[in-house]
């Protein structure tokens, strides 16, 4: 793969931009038993042994996150940003690169983190969760492609980003974007999945490496 920079970057959020899996973090609020059950489902989906389609709604139904808990998740995302992520993202945007977040995570928790990085809401693609007037969980956008294993590829193909486009993530749902972009980088700064690394065009351990790759 020729190494000559990229005009656009599609970034995953959970375990890539930030060091947590959002739904797993919410599940941990329900105690160790729920935490383990949900984390096991998440890991199996990210490594590809089950489809995301099979567990997306199930995990949220198990956890039933409230609005207050999703707001707290946003703070947890910000607190676990990858080392040098903010500086690197701002460096890339200052250099005229397009940065887009594509995540199967909860949009309402991700929007404030994107704002912290200077990424506008229009460039945040994630799954909206609904809440009742009492702030309790009332469902999610089940029509979103991002609740499926191939959804990120669908979103990536629809974005019409300036080429060349680099997708970056840690799981098989991120790797699924590969046919819709010019290259895929496996981010291993938080977790390394051999099934993803093996098929990636690049492997990145830090956001400083990402900036150097994009700005070549």
């Amino acid at each position: 793969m020729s190494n000559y920079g990229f005009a656009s970057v599609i970034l995953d959020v959970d375990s890539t931009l930030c060091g947590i899996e959002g739904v797993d973090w919410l599940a941990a609020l329900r105690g160790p038993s729920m935490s383990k059950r949900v984390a096991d489902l998440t890991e199996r989906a990210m490594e590809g042994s089950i489809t995301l389609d099979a567990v997306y709604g199930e995990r949220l139904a198990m956890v039933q996150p409230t609005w207050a808990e999703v707001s707290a998740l946003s703070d947890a995302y910000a607190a676990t940003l990858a080392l040098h992520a903010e500086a690197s993202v701002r460096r890339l945007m200052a250099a005229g690169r397009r940065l887009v977040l594509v995540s199967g995570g909860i949009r309402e928790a991700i929007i404030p983190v994107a704002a912290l990085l200077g990424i506008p809401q229009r460039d945040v693609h994630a799954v909206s969760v609904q809440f009742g007037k009492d702030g309790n969980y009332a469902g999610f956008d089940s029509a979103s492609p991002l609740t499926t294993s191939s959804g990120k590829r669908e979103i990536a193909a629809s974005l019409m980003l300036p080429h060349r486009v680099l997708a970056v993530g840690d799981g098989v749902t991120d790797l699924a974007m590969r046919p819709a972009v010019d290259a895929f980088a496996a981010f291993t700064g938080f977790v390394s999945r051999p099934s993803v690394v093996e098929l990636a065009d690049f492997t990145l351990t830090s956001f400083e490496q990402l900036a150097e790759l994009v700005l070549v």
Side-chain angles (χ1 to χ4, degrees):
M1 168 75 55
S2 178
N3 184 351
Y4 56 89
F6 297 89
S8 303
V9 179
I10 300 175
L11 272 178
D12 174 44
V13 175
D14 294 33
S15 296
T16 297
L17 179 62
C18 305
I20 56 175
E21 291 286 337
V23 176
D24 293 1
W25 186 90
L26 291 166
L29 301 177
R30 303 287 180 264
S33 176
M34 179 69 75
S35 179
K36 184 179 188 310
R37 288 167 61 196
V38 171
D40 285 348
L41 290 174
T42 300
E43 180 56 28
R44 290 172 66 195
M46 291 303 100
E47 70 182 10
S49 61
I50 56 175
T51 66
L52 183 63
D53 318 39
V55 302
Y56 197 96
E58 179 183 357
R59 294 180 308 160
L60 283 174
M62 291 163 65
V63 176
Q64 299 270 318
T66 67
W67 169 251
E69 289 166 346
V70 169
S71 296
L73 170 60
S74 185
D75 293 337
Y77 273 139
T80 61
L81 277 170
L83 190 64
H84 305 304
E86 182 174 359
S88 297
V89 166
R90 290 188 177 278
R91 177 186 174 194
L92 291 174
M93 295 177 72
R97 302 311 195 263
R98 181 81 179 273
L99 269 291
V100 177
L101 302 183
V102 175
S103 170
I106 297 174
R107 178 177 171 83
E108 290 75 15
I110 294 171
I111 290 288
V113 181
L116 176 67
L117 301 176
I119 298 173
Q121 286 193 29
R122 68 175 181 272
D123 286 333
V124 178
H125 302 268
V127 182
S128 285
V129 168
Q130 290 96 39
F131 304 93
K133 291 181 180 179
D134 58 2
N136 288 331
Y137 177 74
F140 68 98
D141 180 10
S142 58
S144 171
L146 294 169
T147 64
T148 71
S149 292
S150 60
K152 289 190 177 184
R153 178 174 68 235
E154 183 179 331
I155 296 296
S158 74
L159 290 178
M160 306 295 290
L161 295 171
H163 287 272
R164 301 169 74 232
V165 181
L166 175 69
V168 184
D170 64 286
V172 295
T173 56
D174 305 306
L175 180 62
M177 289 189 279
R178 182 62 188 87
V181 298
D182 296 290
F184 173 76
F187 185 79
T188 61
F190 293 114
V191 59
S192 179
R193 296 184 171 94
S195 59
V196 177
V197 171
E198 181 181 359
L199 297 175
D201 300 296
F202 306 98
T203 300
L204 303 172
T205 61
S206 72
F207 269 73
E208 289 178 317
Q209 286 183 342
L210 170 62
E212 294 305 319
L213 174 63
V214 171
L215 294 174
V216 166

